[in-house]
């Protein structure tokens, strides 16, 4: 009787039906917070590396040569593949929790005075809270998560922020705003871009993602929208590169259609720095 095959199959079943199910239950629990989800994701990464050891130890206990016994592809543990799927779910759950917390800070339709005549040079209060929170999350993630997971969390959060800014301008709750509000959002975006650049380099991600994919790139759609709204030559932003940003183009078109023809003309021909109201 081949005891190794028997024990290996039992080990596989134990890891999939017990360990993996427990992990998924915790990941999907409503009681799981950001720090807990991050720790689970880190633990899964450690477990993945330990699977070969589990198999080698099993072979050794069954009197087999550990190296020769696991050298064949068909001898591997199916649980290793299953756990990778659970790892991705853990990363997604973590990102959803982070984004939910960001939503609490970025209630732009409520926290921004869209018709104010005063420009906040240092950004609105909410953006300071956002950066502090992101800094805390990224610092913790850098200590316990692999670099690819750190990148997923950072890029996912910044992409969510960019979508939130875009969504604020598209929101039916914001029926009118002026260039002062746009300038204020622009200052907020600059602060985020500086943070994104600093984090991308300080974490060493710039060495891994050398061919693009920077954190700043996650904010590109909101940056293009702000540039368009503050430019006296909006046609500069209608080049092929921008046209490839389908989400941006579709969102901008939908947003502009909410205004009268006169308002659209006034918006697209506006000079930088002039405070005016768009109805």
């Amino acid at each position: 009787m081949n005891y190794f095959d028997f024990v290996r199959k039992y080990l596989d079943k134990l890891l999939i039906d017990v360990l993996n199910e427990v992990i998924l239950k915790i990941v999907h629990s409503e009681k799981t917070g950001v720090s807990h989800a991050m720790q689970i994701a880190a633990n899964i990464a450690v477990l993945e590396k330990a699977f070969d050891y589990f198999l080698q130890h099993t072979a050794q206990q069954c009197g087999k040569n550990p190296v020769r016994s696991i050298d064949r592809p068909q001898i591997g543990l199916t649980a290793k593949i299953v756990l990778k799927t659970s790892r991705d779910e853990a990363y997604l759950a973590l990102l959803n929790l982070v984004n939910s917390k960001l939503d609490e800070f970025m209630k732009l339709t409520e926290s921004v005075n869209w018709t104010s005549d005063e420009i906040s040079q240092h950004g609105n209060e909410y953006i300071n809270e956002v950066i502090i929170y992101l800094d805390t999350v990224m610092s913790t993630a850098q200590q316990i998560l692999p670099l690819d997971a750190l990148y997923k969390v950072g890029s996912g959060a910044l992409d969510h922020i960019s979508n939130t800014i875009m969504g604020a301008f598209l929101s039916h709750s914001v029926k009118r705003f002026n260039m002062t509000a746009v300038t204020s959002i622009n200052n907020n975006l600059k602060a985020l871009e500086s943070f994104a650049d600093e984090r991308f380099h300080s974490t060493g991600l710039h060495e891994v993602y050398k061919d693009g994919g920077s954190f700043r790139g996650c904010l590109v759609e909101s940056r293009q929208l702000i540039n368009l709204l503050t430019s006296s030559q909006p046609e500069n932003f209608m080049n092929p590169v921008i046209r490839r940003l389908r989400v941006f183009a579709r969102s901008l078109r939908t947003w502009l259609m909410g205004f009268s023809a006169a308002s659209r003309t006034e918006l697209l021909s506006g000079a930088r720095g002039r405070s005016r109201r768009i109805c």
Side-chain angles (χ1 to χ4, degrees):
M1 182 177 182
N2 191 333
Y3 287 104
F4 173 67
D5 284 343
F6 175 79
V7 176
R8 177 180 60 83
K9 291 178 181 178
Y10 181 80
L11 174 62
D12 223 5
K13 183 175 178 61
L14 178 67
L15 292 173
I16 294 174
D17 294 347
V18 179
L19 178 61
N20 188 65
E21 287 300 316
V22 170
I23 290 174
L24 288 177
K25 185 177 180 180
I26 297 174
V27 166
H28 296 142
S29 172
E30 294 181 356
K31 297 181 180 180
T32 301
V34 172
S35 59
H36 197 185
M38 191 178 298
Q39 188 61 60
I40 293 171
N43 291 343
I44 292 177
V46 174
L47 278 172
E48 282 187 87
K49 296 179 181 179
F51 272 35
D52 287 340
Y53 167 76
F54 292 159
L55 203 55
Q56 288 178 358
H57 185 69
T58 300
Q60 190 174 31
Q61 293 299 310
C62 293
K64 297 283 186 178
N65 184 309
V67 177
R68 293 180 60 185
S69 296
I70 67 171
D71 203 29
R72 292 173 293 170
Q74 64 270 27
I75 298 299
L77 292 170
T78 305
K80 193 171 185 178
I81 300 174
V82 175
L83 198 68
K84 286 183 179 180
T85 303
S86 298
R87 177 200 60 189
D88 292 339
E89 288 195 40
Y91 290 162
L92 180 60
L94 171 60
L95 182 57
N96 287 338
L97 289 169
V98 170
N99 288 346
S100 294
K101 188 65 177 179
L102 289 173
D103 286 339
E104 294 179 16
F105 296 126
M106 295 196 64
K107 295 180 179 179
L108 299 187
T109 56
E110 301 174 10
S111 59
V112 174
N113 187 342
W114 294 92
T115 56
S116 173
D117 291 328
E118 297 182 5
I119 299 176
S120 175
Q121 297 296 334
H122 303 289
N124 298 102
E125 183 178 351
Y126 77 86
I127 208 64
N128 298 324
E129 296 292 335
V130 166
I131 291 176
I132 291 172
Y133 178 70
L134 282 178
D135 182 62
T136 302
V137 170
M138 295 292 289
S139 297
T140 306
Q142 185 178 0
Q143 295 176 24
I144 64 176
L145 291 181
L147 279 180
D148 64 324
L150 175 64
Y151 178 77
K152 288 179 181 179
V153 173
S155 59
L158 290 169
D159 187 63
H160 182 74
I161 291 173
S162 181
N163 290 336
T164 301
I165 294 174
M166 296 282 290
F169 282 101
L170 291 167
S171 173
H172 292 296
S173 300
V174 182
K175 298 184 183 299
R176 54 201 302 168
F177 62 88
N178 56 24
M179 285 303 297
T180 302
V182 175
T183 302
S184 181
I185 296 292
N186 187 31
N187 291 335
N188 297 338
L189 190 55
K190 287 179 180 178
L192 280 169
E193 288 170 335
S194 296
F195 171 81
D197 287 340
E198 188 279 327
R199 272 300 175 180
F200 192 68
H201 285 80
S202 65
T203 55
L205 288 171
H206 68 290
E207 294 291 340
V208 180
Y209 299 90
K210 296 180 180 180
D211 298 328
S214 69
F215 281 164
R216 177 185 281 262
C218 300
L219 300 167
V220 66
E221 291 184 12
S222 53
R223 166 49 61 201
Q224 294 295 348
L225 176 59
I226 295 299
N227 286 351
L228 178 61
L229 294 177
T230 57
S231 174
S232 59
Q233 295 179 312
E235 63 275 7
N236 290 344
F237 298 92
M238 298 309 295
N239 58 58
V241 175
I242 303 306
R243 285 199 294 270
R244 284 199 294 269
L245 296 175
R246 296 179 180 178
V247 176
F248 167 75
R250 184 172 60 252
S251 299
L252 180 61
R253 183 170 58 252
T254 303
W255 175 69
L256 286 174
M257 290 305 294
F259 299 96
S260 65
S263 296
R264 291 198 296 271
T265 301
E266 180 185 5
L267 172 64
L268 294 176
S269 62
R272 186 192 303 268
R274 288 179 57 195
S275 177
R276 62 183 174 220
R277 182 165 298 175
I278 301 172
C279 302

